[in-house]
Amino acid sequence: MPAYAFFHGQFMPLSEARIGIMTHALHYGTACFEGIRGHWDSEQERFCLFRIHDHYKRMLEGCRILKIGSPYSIDALWQLTGELLEKSGYRESVYIRPLAYKSSEVLAIRLHNVEDDFLIAVTTFPPYLDVEKGVRCCTSSWRRVDDTMVPPRGKICGIYVNSALAKTEAQENGFDEAILLTHDGHVCEGSAENIFLVLQGKLVTPPSSDDILMGITRDTVIKLAKNELGVDTIERQVDRSELYVAEECFFTGTAAAIAPILEIDRRVIGRGEIGEMTARLQKLFGEVMLGRNPKYSGWYYLVAPGTPIQSGRKRII
Ligand code: PMP
């Protein structure tokens, strides 16, 4: 199946979507992106684009930070995404990558007076971390950039150099993933995931003021824990050593889903196996991400290929 793209206002095979070598974003990282999973439900023959509205809302917030104008409203963006998915012909789970970027082919280190463009690519993407076996992590020697440097609340492309440095260091040292600390030494997040601890039966996760990306999976887990398990999440600063004494630890992210952490800095977490809370949240998340729990229908954009397009808009089930 050829990967597909929405580029320069048109749908086309990904192989035909090309940008010039002097493009501003390529040189300076002046772009922001999203990662959205399109979960294929083979029983229902439909995709569930999970919390797509929230993904585009976050992307447009990043655009404001970078002074990138969007020619599309949030509603138009997710409808475009549905159309792209339909045209791509996939019948398996996909990964959708919208990118808003500084497109002028100029040498100019600035955000103003530079043109913008927007594209969406759709492709397949294997699981990012092993959610069944769990992962082994290290604390990174790299610190997370903070809001006074490049604001981490946006998925700003240039910032991912920070993530890539940490991820490569971790993997080359034999770990699966890195945990980055903030500039002042508190637990921040993984290279592309938020982090949760279970401490005395409660969920604990770093707050927005600790330079995390405000993850959509993080928010989903907080709400599922509260509504379905009656468990509150405490958003507060977390010390590194709290990781070592936690009963359970896990990552959350669109790419990573809910990934249990079994070891950090060569210390076993809890019993060194997937914890009870983590497993219960994984099960709940597995149902909602496929669009199967009607209680959370506001989170689903269900795209059933082959159903009629009404007034130029994909039918929303
Ligand atoms: N932190 C970072 C740095 C990320 O790149 C991601 C992935 N988007 C996350 C956290 C998790 O966010 P989400 O659950 O919205 O995918």
Side-chain angles (χ1 to χ4, degrees):
M1 191 65 64
Y4 240 67
F6 175 78
F7 183 59
H8 288 168
Q10 288 177 340
F11 297 100
M12 61 183 74
L14 194 64
S15 56
E16 287 171 26
R18 290 279 174 261
I19 57 164
I21 62 168
M22 294 307 285
T23 301
H24 199 272
L26 179 65
H27 292 250
Y28 305 120
T30 45
C32 55
F33 67 96
E34 267 307 319
I36 306 167
R37 289 256 188 209
H39 302 283
W40 175 245
D41 186 335
S42 53
E43 277 170 37
Q44 310 282 334
E45 301 225 317
R46 67 183 189 196
F47 288 100
C48 176
L49 299 180
F50 188 65
R51 298 191 67 171
I52 190 168
H53 190 279
D54 296 310
H55 279 283
Y56 276 124
K57 182 167 175 286
R58 185 171 66 187
M59 194 189 81
L60 293 186
E61 286 167 3
C63 286
R64 288 171 79 98
I65 295 172
L66 290 189
K67 291 177 171 280
I68 294 176
S70 171
Y72 302 102
S73 65
I74 295 187
D75 285 1
L77 284 167
W78 56 257
Q79 280 160 19
L80 266 177
T81 310
E83 257 184 84
L84 174 64
L85 199 49
E86 168 105 5
K87 289 202 164 50
S88 72
Y90 282 112
R91 296 290 184 277
E92 61 187 302
S93 291
V94 292
Y95 188 79
I96 296 153
R97 168 52 54 84
L99 182 80
Y101 63 104
K102 293 281 176 195
S103 57
S104 293
E105 300 201 36
V106 290
L107 293 173
I109 303 179
R110 60 169 192 253
L111 296 175
H112 61 286
N113 295 341
V114 183
E115 280 170 21
D116 319 312
D117 209 343
F118 170 73
L119 60 83
I120 318 174
V122 56
T123 183
T124 51
F125 189 50
Y128 189 68
L129 292 174
D130 195 329
V131 294
E132 280 159 22
K133 288 208 192 110
V135 293
R136 295 176 57 246
C137 301
C138 62
T139 307
S140 184
S141 68
W142 298 97
R143 294 287 165 101
R144 190 80 179 125
V145 288
D146 79 34
D147 195 69
T148 61
M149 302 169 184
V150 192
R153 76 181 59 253
K155 278 181 75 72
I156 295 172
C157 289
I159 245 179
Y160 280 80
V161 174
N162 182 229
S163 291
L165 285 165
K167 180 83 176 184
T168 289
E169 178 191 55
Q171 290 199 326
E172 290 188 346
N173 286 331
F175 299 96
D176 302 307
E177 184 54 293
I179 298 169
L180 289 104
L181 303 181
T182 59
H183 203 57
D184 66 354
H186 293 102
V187 175
C188 183
E189 60 185 346
S191 70
E193 312 85 20
N194 294 112
I195 191 165
F196 283 76
L197 295 74
V198 179
L199 283 168
Q200 293 172 341
K202 293 245 164 60
L203 283 167
V204 176
T205 193
S208 71
S209 51
D210 267 346
D211 296 315
I212 61 166
L213 180 78
M214 290 299 277
I216 290 162
T217 322
R218 174 185 183 273
D219 182 66
T220 303
V221 161
I222 292 173
K223 292 193 168 117
L224 289 176
K226 171 99 184 139
N227 299 346
E228 307 301 324
L229 306 179
V231 173
D232 286 322
T233 301
I234 305 160
E235 298 178 63
R236 64 150 173 88
Q237 263 187 353
V238 175
D239 288 333
R240 173 179 179 167
S241 56
E242 287 185 284
L243 296 171
Y244 303 155
V245 298
E247 289 124 55
E248 299 176 35
C249 256
F250 58 86
F251 284 128
T252 63
T254 300
I258 297 179
I261 302 174
L262 304 189
E263 196 189 300
I264 301 173
D265 296 340
R266 301 186 197 279
R267 288 161 177 87
V268 169
I269 305 304
R271 291 207 213 102
E273 57 193 35
I274 301 180
E276 195 190 321
M277 179 96 76
T278 311
R280 291 172 81 191
L281 287 166
Q282 280 183 317
K283 186 165 181 295
L284 288 165
F285 184 66
E287 282 161 14
V288 296
M289 77 181 192
L290 280 175
R292 287 185 180 170
N293 187 337
K295 195 165 154 191
Y296 297 98
S297 59
W299 284 347
Y300 312 146
Y301 172 32
L302 302 171
V303 176
T307 57
I309 292 173
Q310 294 163 358
S311 354
R313 292 174 172 208
K314 183 70 199 135
R315 188 163 73 92
I316 303 160
I317 301 167

